[in-house]
Amino acid sequence: MKPFHRLPAYALNGLAVASGIGVVQLLIGALVGAHAAQWALSGAVCASLADVPNTVPRTWHRVSAAAVLSFAAALVVAVLKPYPLVLGAGVVGVTFAAMMTMAWGLRAAAVSFAPILSLVFSIAAPASGVSMFELAGWNALGGVVYLAWSLIAGRVLQGRYRTLALEAALRAAARLLPSRAALLESPHPRAPEARVMNDWIKGEAELAERLQSARDFVFVDADSERYRRDTAILLRAIDLRDLLLAGRLDLDVLGRDANGRWLLQRVGQALRRIGQALEAAADAVRDGRPAAPADALQDDLNRLFADAQITHAGVRTRLLRGVHDRLTDIGADVVQIHALLRGGRECVPLTREQLQRFVAAEGWPLKALGAHWSGQSPVLRHAVRAALALGTAYYLALALPWASHPHWLVLSVAVVLRGNLEQTLSRRNTRVLGTMLGCAVVLLLSHLTSPALLSLVFLAAVGIAHSFVAQRYWMTATAATVMALLQSHLVNPAGGFAIAERVADTVLGAALAWGFSYVLPSWERRRLPLAIDQVLKDLRDYAGHALRPQPAAAVEQRLARRRAYDALSALAGALQRSAAEPRAVQLPIRQVAALIDHGQRLMAHLSVVRLMLVRAGSGPAGQTGARALQRANADLAACLCLAGEPAAPAGDAVDAVDADARSMSAPPAVSEGVLPGLVPRLQGLAHDARQVRAAAIEALATVQGARRHAAAAPVSVHNEGG
């Protein structure tokens, strides 16, 4: 077992949640009685779904929302339970309302499931002398007590959560380095490219998620030495992604002959070495100790190409200098992170007020719902789909021979049916596996007669189910099965476990969820035009900041860069999800992949130009170079807009620069007019901007052609469903 200080955030959070549920049980049990405590647990468990590692204000917003929605769902059941057929309409209504909360984005994901779980718990309540309204009251009390616990626990664990968020960001950045190295070191780059590039895209998405989580914790902290240190480290990690992305431009043209492969292997070794140093920094952050000096890293990088077999000066020699400079820049960032962890100081380029702009939005503004009252909205379509699925499951459960537990079939559909087919298929298999494993565990527990011991097992199941929902879902499904069966048993021991029926309900529920995922589907190609438009818009915006002769305001430039990264990551995520969809409605893989690839290359060129201008100081490009930057910016803006045609080929953006400035073998001095290396970068920008535009046009044409074909063809089971 890991030492406590090495527990990841999700495990620490799971322990806090299980402890909170235990506090609710003990407190209400001592004050009111064990039976009331069991009913209060339903409200506490529902509220706890939204209790994830977060800042205290965010915990308040989310856990309180989950508690209120849980109570509202319990009230609906209290009113309608005497009328089983009408209760089905209540199931449909509650489900629709719960799923519409996804209009507020991922922050509502856990909150949206709270009323569904409360609905299930309330339907599962056996007939007794206690009125359903009283049970709804216990639900509310459990939610309130758990809310108080979550705020107290969140305050106590806040420092640890912040530390672990920063550690996770560093570790995600460290994992991206060997991922890039694997692609470089492959002796046959074409064959494994899809798999390795898929790993790279996943690594990029993970890094973006971890960086945002760290921003949300670090940038809102009170001003202190620790705050300034963590902010400096996080900003270094964010910039490191820029440097790594920029490095691919030169590596792509080093060649694949014997010398080229040797050079790429050396670069791969260097990236792994830097990744190890960054992992060591992440360990130091986690353990709260100074990092070991990393000076040896720079020495290793300085000797990297000392024995390179290059016999003449030429393009490869010049590229090698650029590659070496890029690697030493990345290494310098990691060395500085180590220095900061040993007590070093660094001036943060942004104020606390500016940093707040990078923190993710929070709260529940009603205007967010307005954008989703449309038949084209994936949120509305999923809400209708889920409502129909759970309503069907409820009425079907009433007709089954084991109709005494209709809630289990409803729950099985609810946990499997996701907003897209990829997640639904993944949940379908792991849910069935987890239920069978959970039922096997309960079979063993059925021989225990001690309610206290069963309560301890229940609390452990709560903690495990909560901890691993985003890590290993089969463990969550197993623990959730144990939790649900034990809670039903503790509330109504005479009802038994009915394990065989639960397995049958789970298999049937998984099949229902799978079938309903084709009802009003939101295939990724529906949103492709909007996704491409967002990518082009954000790339234009970032280009406008990066291609300024004078450096742009740091906060605006960083915000534009983050938006561009996020837009490309969103498009990459859509491409991955689309792979699970029917072949007839999948995204055009080649065109979208090309758009993402050239978009990343464009980002890399922009980052290199920005770094060149910043490091050269004020007025670095000279009058001629400034005109070239302005022309390049204008042409990129035209090229990255699909409305109309660019005024001139983007490659003409540097025509104003003298021909002798094009030669990299004898670049002019900065004071003579043009920053060395600027011209090739502007030419690379022009090329990749044209490629982005071409891929976008081809992808949209492919999708529109498929739609016209589907509209003209007879009705097919693989069409979009409207």
Side-chain angles (χ1 to χ4, degrees), residues 7 72 115 126 172 209 214 256 332 351 363 371 419 443 486 493 524 530 564 596 624 646-647 650 654 661 678 688 702:
L7 287 177
E209 179 184 341
R256 286 284 174 175
T351 66
L443 272 177
L486 285 182
E524 295 298 333
L530 288 177
I596 295 170
T624 306
V654 294
L678 178 63
D688 282 303
T702 301

Side-chain angles (χ1 to χ4, degrees), residues 543-609:
H545 287 86
L547 296 179
R548 291 182 180 179
Q550 300 296 330
V555 65
E556 299 299 338
Q557 177 269 315
R558 285 176 176 271
L559 283 168
R561 180 181 63 177
R562 188 188 68 170
R563 289 192 294 267
Y565 274 130
D566 288 347
L568 286 169
S569 295
L571 189 59
L575 189 61
Q576 286 184 306
R577 292 190 297 272
S578 180
E581 296 176 344
R583 185 178 299 276
V585 297
Q586 287 181 2
L587 292 180
I589 296 175
R590 180 180 60 81
Q591 294 89 341
V592 175
L595 194 160
I596 295 170
D597 182 54
H598 287 287
Q600 287 189 333
R601 289 179 58 88
L602 185 63
M603 287 286 292
H605 282 298
L606 289 170
S607 296
V608 171
V609 171

Side-chain angles (χ1 to χ4, degrees), residues 64-75:
S64 62
V68 169
L69 292 176
S70 170
F71 173 61
L75 275 181

Side-chain angles (χ1 to χ4, degrees), residues 249 539 543 547 598-599 601-606 609 628-629 631-640 646 648-655 662 678-695:
L249 298 173
L539 286 175
L547 296 179
H598 287 287
R601 289 179 58 88
L602 185 63
M603 287 286 292
H605 282 298
L606 289 170
V609 171
L629 286 168
R631 178 68 183 277
N633 190 13
D635 284 353
L636 253 67
C639 203
L640 295 174
D652 293 343
V654 294
D655 282 348
R662 298 177 184 274
L678 178 63
V679 172
R681 293 302 174 189
L682 295 180
Q683 292 171 332
L685 271 171
H687 170 76
D688 282 303
R690 290 196 302 272
Q691 295 302 313
V692 167
R693 178 186 174 85

Side-chain angles (χ1 to χ4, degrees), residues 497-517:
F497 291 109
I499 289 176
E501 296 173 6
R502 300 296 71 76
V503 172
D505 280 339
T506 299
V507 174
L508 180 57
L512 277 173
W514 181 26
F516 270 95
S517 60

